[in-house]
Amino acid sequence: MAFFSQDQLEAIAGALGDTSAGLTGTEIQHLLASSKMTDPGPITKRVRIYNAFAESQNTKQNRTHVLAFIRQAMKPARYSREPSRYEPLRALLNQALAFAGLVIDEAGELSSVKVARTLPEAQRRARELRADLEGRGVHPDVLRFCRAELLADNYFHAVQEAVKSVAEKMRSRTGLTDDGAALVDRVLSGESPLLAINPRITVSEKSEQSGFANLVRGTFGMFRNPTAHEARVHWAMSKEDAEDLLTVVSLIHRRLDRANVPPRV
């Protein structure tokens, strides 16, 4: 049975007990009880979590209850009233878990990944990727996904998060709540799209609109649908591939920014 080292437990507890993005005191109390761990009481959040984790692992000689706490804490349904809390906490936690060879996916499931060796490596990746993309003049909405916590394992997650931002922009501009291909079909396809990237008068303009819809639909299909079925560890991506793909996402963002709402006939 694998154990968490002291520094790994400290990092995980620090993420879960983070002042701004972490769990509340009430949430920690509930999660410790449901995970059958001894609660040290209302002290500093990260210390409270660390002491409970260390006591459980030392007493039971396994990390089963620590993993149970993490799984319970990261169930997406727990954040249904405050969805904006989930991704910042998941990013912090994944940065800590990377050093133990674990990752929490979007569904809140734990899976194994290659063990990260150094945080500076992830930070260096973020700086280099951002610098290269700035040189390409990519859209500002793409640059914000060049963060160390998204690159602790590989470049895939940065691209995946950037693709999700395209869907969010389409929803914010139209008021829809759809996702994936269904969202693209309603926003960009058909005779009455909600957003048009050109006047759609000539055959060429209509073909351009259709082609753009296919581009967005294909991008969603490549970086959203597969992750529901495949662990991220199987989607290795090079820095060069990430740069090319983020440039495509940048193009999509720029065209959406310039798109207009066509009149209804």
Side-chain angles (χ1 to χ4, degrees):
M1 171 66 70
F3 290 85
F4 288 117
S5 64
Q6 178 180 345
D7 57 335
Q8 290 170 354
L9 282 180
E10 288 178 347
I12 295 167
L16 291 167
D18 182 75
T19 302
S20 58
L23 302 168
T24 67
T26 302
E27 288 172 333
I28 293 170
Q29 179 182 9
H30 171 74
L31 289 165
L32 288 174
S34 62
S35 302
K36 296 180 173 57
M37 283 194 273
T38 302
D39 190 345
I43 52 179
T44 305
K45 292 192 295 181
R46 59 182 178 80
V47 176
R48 183 181 187 179
I49 296 171
Y50 172 79
N51 287 348
F53 283 4
E55 192 277 336
S56 175
Q57 188 168 264
N58 291 337
T59 301
K60 300 177 175 64
Q61 287 298 294
N62 62 55
R63 62 180 187 179
T64 301
H65 295 268
V66 177
L67 293 174
F69 182 102
I70 295 171
R71 290 189 179 97
Q72 289 288 329
M74 297 310 297
K75 284 186 176 180
R78 188 178 296 278
Y79 303 88
S80 58
R81 290 188 177 182
E82 298 177 282
S84 61
R85 292 181 58 203
Y86 186 71
E87 284 301 328
L89 177 55
R90 190 168 75 93
L92 282 176
L93 183 56
N94 276 342
Q95 184 169 299
L97 288 172
F99 293 94
L102 295 170
V103 67
I104 288 281
D105 64 19
E106 287 181 300
E109 298 294 333
L110 271 170
S111 58
S112 298
V113 294
K114 182 180 178 181
V115 176
R117 298 301 177 189
T118 64
L119 181 58
E121 178 183 357
Q123 294 171 331
R124 176 183 56 77
R125 287 183 184 184
R127 287 194 301 269
E128 291 179 353
L129 181 62
R130 184 181 181 90
D132 288 352
L133 292 174
E134 286 177 339
R136 295 187 182 203
V138 302
H139 195 286
D141 287 348
V142 173
L143 290 177
R144 60 193 176 98
F145 296 101
C146 304
R147 305 196 306 271
E149 61 266 26
L150 295 179
L151 299 171
D153 179 28
N154 59 37
Y155 295 96
F156 182 92
H157 197 49
V159 177
Q160 184 187 45
E161 292 298 306
V163 170
K164 287 164 58 178
S165 73
V166 171
E168 183 56 36
K169 177 168 288 185
M170 293 168 67
R171 285 192 288 265
S172 67
R173 290 209 57 189
T174 62
L176 297 177
T177 58
D178 303 66
D179 198 8
L183 178 65
V184 178
D185 289 343
R186 294 188 65 185
V187 175
L188 299 172
S189 299
E191 288 301 315
S192 301
L194 297 180
L195 294 177
I197 64 171
N198 60 47
R200 297 176 60 254
I201 296 174
T202 68
V203 173
S204 294
E205 288 171 342
K206 292 180 179 179
S207 294
E208 182 186 24
Q209 176 79 24
S210 176
F212 180 69
N214 287 333
L215 173 65
V216 179
R217 189 182 296 107
T219 304
F220 281 9
M222 186 174 185
F223 291 100
R224 293 178 65 80
N225 296 339
T227 56
H229 309 289
E230 299 290 341
R232 182 161 61 103
V233 69
H234 297 309
W235 287 77
M237 181 181 295
S238 68
K239 176 170 169 284
E240 292 74 19
D241 286 346
E243 289 174 355
D244 289 342
L245 291 163
L246 288 170
T247 301
V248 171
V249 177
S250 174
L251 167 66
I252 294 172
H253 269 294
R254 293 190 193 284
R255 299 308 296 270
L256 288 175
D257 285 346
R258 295 195 299 266
N260 62 81
V261 179
R264 295 287 172 240
V265 294

